[in-house]
């Protein structure tokens, strides 16, 4: 694709992901943006494509004992333990505060059982001011020995299908874990379950060790790695899913600047999510929107949606994990 | 309301091999900051180190220019990069953050208890106490060695009594700062109302908090924590607090703190 260069007028930044329309492709990721209002001192929510809330469970959760985070090379580990206010407090206190914020509000949902996912989704269905839900499939399934929901295709199909039926009015985003042999298998299962959109990737499991004490740094021992350190891994997975499954993608993983965001779009994302960067620079998301606009103007790209999936693969490249 | 902007380095002095005093220009932070609050500082451009570092505000300098000072010790890569930032460099600076100290009731004598680089929070408080015109504070200051005790001139030039303790005995009383505290508490009269303001490493906060509770003395602790965001959204910096049958509660050091009453936390 080589669009004619043009310098007049603003870029059309609108993107459509199945049933979900966003004013631009930059979405703040779950767990890094609180419940939205926390960022009002640093940006205008109205300038954002959307944001995803902290993961919501049926009941409030206190989370893990500290230390919960650890900085690593160009990244960080976290084991917050899914602390959140619970779906009722979200509906009563957090969501009303966002009325008229002018951006898509996406509720992230998790549960320790399929029934909990369903109960939270049912409670959110039809909530005024809510634009979509995103299922976090990285949560341990207490009924299946603590294995994450997102690693087993039959479990993914079942939980996505059950949530689909419980919240028929909301666009359904399924967030995939990268901690699996082939992410395309999970993506296929999510589609079969009824997902409208895929978001990927969640954090990579990792750990850090304090050599002096010979103990893990995190009280939880294992945590999720995020930040620029994971960007190449995530970019590959977006490309892999794009080549295997026909669903719109929100790509994420270590986006630190406009070029990173555009690489995810070229790899196959219709929109991107920005996570850890929000901790480092709370005004980053809306700045990315302006930078994407400026880049598109400079390159003569009329609409950012025209860039999605424009990756030029070498002739004869076969989809699937290639030998390296 | 906190704000985030690049703040120019106006001065950057080495006090000794690993302690530095950084002066930044930030009119908005200088105008809004209260004693005990902190800022998140970007130590260098790029993604390594990735996260900003939380730093107590050492002083807000008088004058219209809007200068704030940060006293810090080089303890790892982030602070080492920070120490290399020259005059004129722009450092992303987010603040003022956190709740700040509650100033003592009239008639209460403040006792400042510092451990190591915990001293960095107290000049701002000392100046706020002076403006409040209450009883003058006393400073109890402990460190590993004489070299770890910095900023003494600030307190001495303002006639604030300073008592020192070092673990190696290189100056002051040999031992921990709690020895100074126990001596002070033993010497107080029944009518004396004291309040402790404490900043230092967590084991020291715990020990001083226990002494204060045992003596029935009011005590505010300034906590430090691994703090990725500073604005209450990552939930990484939590401290365990007295809870219920289900276990402890966790509160965010960045937004519910960094100042807590000793009774509010279970260190």
């Amino acid at each position: 694709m080589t669009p004619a260069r043009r310098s007049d007028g603003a870029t059309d930044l609108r993107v459509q992901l199945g049933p979900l329309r966003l004013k631009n492709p930059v979405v703040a990721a779950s767990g890094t943006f609180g419940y939205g209002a926390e960022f009002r001192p640093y940006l205008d929510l109205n300038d954002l494509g959307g944001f995803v809330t902290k993961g919501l469970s049926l009941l409030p959760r206190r989370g893990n004992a500290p230390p919960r985070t650890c900085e690593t090379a160009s990244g960080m580990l976290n084991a917050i333990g899914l602390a959140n206010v619970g779906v009722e407090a979200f509906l009563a206190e957090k969501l009303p505060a966002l009325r008229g914020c002018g951006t898509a509000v996406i509720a992230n949902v998790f549960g320790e059982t399929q029934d909990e996912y369903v109960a939270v989704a049912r409670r959110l269905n039809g909530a005024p001011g809510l634009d979509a839900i995103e299922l976090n499939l990285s949560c341990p399934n207490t009924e299946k020995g603590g294995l994450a929901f997102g690693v087993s295709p039959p479990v993914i199909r079942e939980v996505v299908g059950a949530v689909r039926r419980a919240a028929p009015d909301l666009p359904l985003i399924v967030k995939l874990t990268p901690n699996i042999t082939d992410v395309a298998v999970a993506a296929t299962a999510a589609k079969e379950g009824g997902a409208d959109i895929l978001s990927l990737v969640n954090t990579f499991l990792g750990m850090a060790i304090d050599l002096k004490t010979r103990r893990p740094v995190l009280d939880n021992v294992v945590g999720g790695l995020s930040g620029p350190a994971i960007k190449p891994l995530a970019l590959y997975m977006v490309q892999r899913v794009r080549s295997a499954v026909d669903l719109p993608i929100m790509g994420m993983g270590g986006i630190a600047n406009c070029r990173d965001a555009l690489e995810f779009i070229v790899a196959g994302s219709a929109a991107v999510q920005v996570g850890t960067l929000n901790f480092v620079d709370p005004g980053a998301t809306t700045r990315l929107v302006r930078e994407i606009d400026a880049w598109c103007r400079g390159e003569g790209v009329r609409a950012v949606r025209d860039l999605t999936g424009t990756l030029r693969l070498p002739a004869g490249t076969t989809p699937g994990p290639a030998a390296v | 309301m906190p704000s985030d902007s690049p703040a120019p380095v106006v001065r950057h002095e080495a006090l000794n091999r690993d302690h530095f005093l950084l002066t930044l220009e930030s009119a908005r932070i200088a105008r809004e900051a209260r004693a005990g609050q902190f800022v998140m500082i970007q130590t260098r451009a790029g993604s390594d180190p990735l996260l900003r570092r939380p730093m107590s505000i050492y002083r807000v300098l008088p004058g219209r220019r809007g200068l704030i000072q940060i006293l810090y010790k080089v303890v790892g890569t982030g602070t080492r990069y920070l120490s290399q930032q020259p005059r004129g460099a722009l450092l992303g600076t987010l603040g003022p953050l956190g709740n700040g100290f509650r100033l003592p009731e009239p008639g209460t004598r403040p006792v400042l208890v510092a451990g190591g680089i915990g001293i960095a929070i107290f000049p701002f408080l000392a100046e706020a106490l002076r403006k409040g015109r209450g009883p003058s504070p006393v400073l109890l200051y402990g460190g590993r060695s004489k070299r770890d005790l910095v900023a003494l001139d600030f307190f001495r030039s303002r006639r604030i009594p300073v008592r020192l303790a070092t673990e190696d005995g290189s100056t002051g009383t040999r031992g921990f700062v709690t020895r100074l505290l126990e001596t002070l508490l033993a010497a107080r009269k029944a009518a004396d109302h004291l309040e402790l303001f404490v900043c230092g490493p967590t084991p020291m906060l715990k020990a001083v908090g226990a002494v204060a509770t045992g003596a029935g003395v009011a005590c505010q602790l300034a906590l430090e924590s691994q703090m990725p965001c500073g604005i209450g959204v990552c939930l990484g910096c939590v401290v365990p607090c007295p809870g219920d049958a289900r276990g402890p509660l966790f509160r965010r050091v960045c937004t519910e703190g960094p100042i807590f009453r000793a009774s509010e936390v279970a260190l």
Side-chain angles (χ1 to χ4, degrees):
Chain A
M1 185 213 60
T2 319
R5 282 175 182 263
R6 37 167 262 161
S7 55
D8 57 312
T11 317
D12 184 353
L13 293 173
R14 293 171 302 169
V15 292
Q16 185 83 35
L17 294 89
L20 181 65
R21 173 184 283 264
L22 304 176
K23 61 168 67 167
N24 67 59
V26 179
V27 175
S30 179
T32 67
F33 211 70
Y35 302 97
E38 293 92 329
F39 280 77
R40 283 195 160 123
Y42 313 106
L43 50 76
D44 186 347
L45 292 173
N46 191 27
D47 294 339
L48 204 54
F51 75 88
V52 190
T53 68
K54 183 87 183 107
L56 299 169
S57 47
L58 195 54
L59 298 174
R61 283 174 62 115
R62 296 176 186 178
N64 293 333
R68 291 178 169 184
T69 64
C70 171
E71 186 165 2
T72 58
S74 294
M76 63 174 280
L77 288 164
N78 87 80
I80 304 303
L82 298 162
N84 78 100
V85 298
V87 70
E88 294 305 331
F90 172 73
L91 288 168
E93 295 156 28
K94 306 294 184 184
L95 192 55
L98 295 165
R99 198 155 289 160
C101 71
T103 194
V105 180
I106 301 166
N108 184 283
V109 169
F110 73 91
E112 290 187 357
T113 63
Q114 182 172 309
D115 288 349
E116 187 178 359
Y117 277 95
V118 166
V120 178
R122 182 173 290 134
R123 198 68 193 81
L124 292 170
N125 191 48
L130 190 63
D131 296 284
I133 55 179
E134 179 185 70
L135 289 195
N136 169 11
L137 293 184
S138 299
C139 189
N141 182 346
T142 53
E143 291 173 328
K144 296 270 164 76
L147 207 63
F149 281 86
V151 302
S152 158
V155 173
I156 295 171
R157 256 192 306 275
E158 208 182 321
V159 70
V160 172
V163 168
R164 172 80 288 170
R165 290 186 293 278
D169 305 332
L170 286 168
L172 178 57
I173 306 165
V174 174
K175 186 170 183 175
L176 303 176
T177 173
N179 300 304
I180 180 172
T181 310
D182 183 2
V183 70
V185 173
T188 305
K191 184 179 181 188
E192 288 164 359
D196 296 312
I197 301 160
L198 301 172
S199 59
L200 63 142
V201 294
N202 210 320
T203 55
F204 288 79
L205 294 178
M207 75 179 297
I209 292 171
D210 180 337
L211 198 53
K212 207 192 289 178
T213 61
R214 300 199 191 178
R215 290 173 190 271
V217 174
L218 300 175
D219 187 78
N220 190 56
V221 181
V222 61
L225 182 65
S226 64
I230 71 167
K231 197 197 93 178
L233 307 169
L235 200 56
Y236 162 68
M237 290 191 175
V238 166
Q239 184 274 136
R240 168 86 186 115
V241 168
R242 165 79 181 191
S243 69
V245 181
D246 182 24
L247 273 186
I249 293 170
M250 287 186 177
M252 79 190 95
I255 291 174
N257 55 49
C258 161
R259 303 190 77 84
D260 291 341
L262 288 159
E263 288 174 25
F264 272 90
I265 291 171
V266 167
S269 309
V272 295
Q273 290 192 17
V274 176
T276 304
L277 186 62
N278 295 312
F279 299 156
V280 180
D281 179 357
T285 43
T286 53
R287 199 186 58 243
L288 283 184
V289 175
R290 294 191 295 275
E291 289 173 359
I292 290 171
D293 180 22
W295 186 91
C296 288
R297 285 194 216 195
E299 295 292 314
V301 174
R302 192 180 298 256
V304 72
R305 60 179 170 270
D306 293 341
L307 289 171
T308 295
T310 53
L311 182 69
R312 294 165 176 165
L313 289 169
T317 307
T318 51
V324 287
Chain B
M1 204 194 300
S3 61
D4 181 25
S5 59
V9 175
V10 175
R11 277 185 84 179
H12 205 167
E13 311 155 60
L15 303 184
N16 59 30
R17 204 177 62 199
D18 51 4
H19 289 77
F20 293 81
L21 184 61
L22 172 66
T23 306
L24 296 171
E25 183 173 342
S26 175
R28 210 165 143 182
I29 295 175
R31 194 169 58 239
E32 297 193 9
R34 288 178 295 112
Q37 288 190 297
F38 68 96
V39 293
M40 297 291 289
I41 296 187
Q42 184 188 20
T43 59
R44 150 171 119 149
S47 68
D48 201 16
L50 180 65
L51 304 172
R52 298 195 195 193
R53 296 293 184 267
M55 300 271 177
S56 299
I57 300 171
Y58 175 79
R59 279 187 80 191
V60 172
L61 296 183
R64 278 205 215 147
R65 208 171 152 200
L67 302 181
I68 62 168
Q69 288 189 311
I70 307 295
L71 172 69
Y72 66 95
K73 182 182 181 184
V74 172
V75 292
T77 39
T79 42
R80 188 160 63 246
Y81 287 127
L82 182 59
S83 72
Q84 293 158 3
Q85 292 289 354
R87 197 174 140 193
L90 293 174
L91 305 180
T93 305
L94 168 60
L97 300 167
N99 57 356
F101 287 110
R102 282 150 294 204
L103 295 183
E105 299 288 314
T108 300
R109 175 174 291 276
V111 180
L112 316 183
V113 188
I117 193 60
I119 194 70
I121 206 168
F122 288 124
F124 197 1
L125 177 61
E127 287 178 339
L129 291 169
R130 188 146 76 159
K131 278 188 198 141
R133 295 171 189 277
S136 167
V138 51
L139 172 67
L140 313 182
Y141 187 6
R144 225 168 262 157
S145 172
K146 189 176 177 181
R147 204 169 62 89
D148 295 307
L149 303 180
V150 295
L152 293 170
D153 290 348
F154 174 91
F155 297 94
R156 286 179 174 151
S157 67
R158 285 161 182 78
R159 301 207 170 85
I160 294 170
V162 177
R163 293 170 204 172
L164 303 177
T166 51
E167 287 171 45
D168 65 1
S170 51
T171 189
T173 302
R174 181 189 291 269
F176 292 120
V177 74
T178 40
R179 284 193 62 185
L180 301 175
L181 179 61
E182 279 156 356
T183 307
L184 179 130
L185 291 176
R188 84 186 143 137
K189 300 181 186 77
D192 286 351
H193 281 282
L194 303 180
E195 180 159 11
L196 309 187
F197 298 83
V198 193
C199 187
T202 302
M204 173 260 191
L205 296 181
K206 193 172 170 171
V208 173
V211 171
T213 305
V217 175
C219 179
Q220 296 181 36
L221 305 176
L223 270 60
E224 62 170 16
S225 179
Q226 287 265 344
M227 199 179 278
C229 79
I231 59 172
V233 295
C234 77
L235 312 183
C237 66
V238 296
V239 56
C241 297
D244 52 28
R246 285 169 51 216
L249 288 168
F250 298 112
R251 299 171 78 191
R252 294 167 293 185
V253 173
C254 67
T255 41
E256 276 101 23
I259 317 297
F260 292 93
R261 294 190 192 283
S263 57
E264 291 176 317
V265 292
L267 295 175

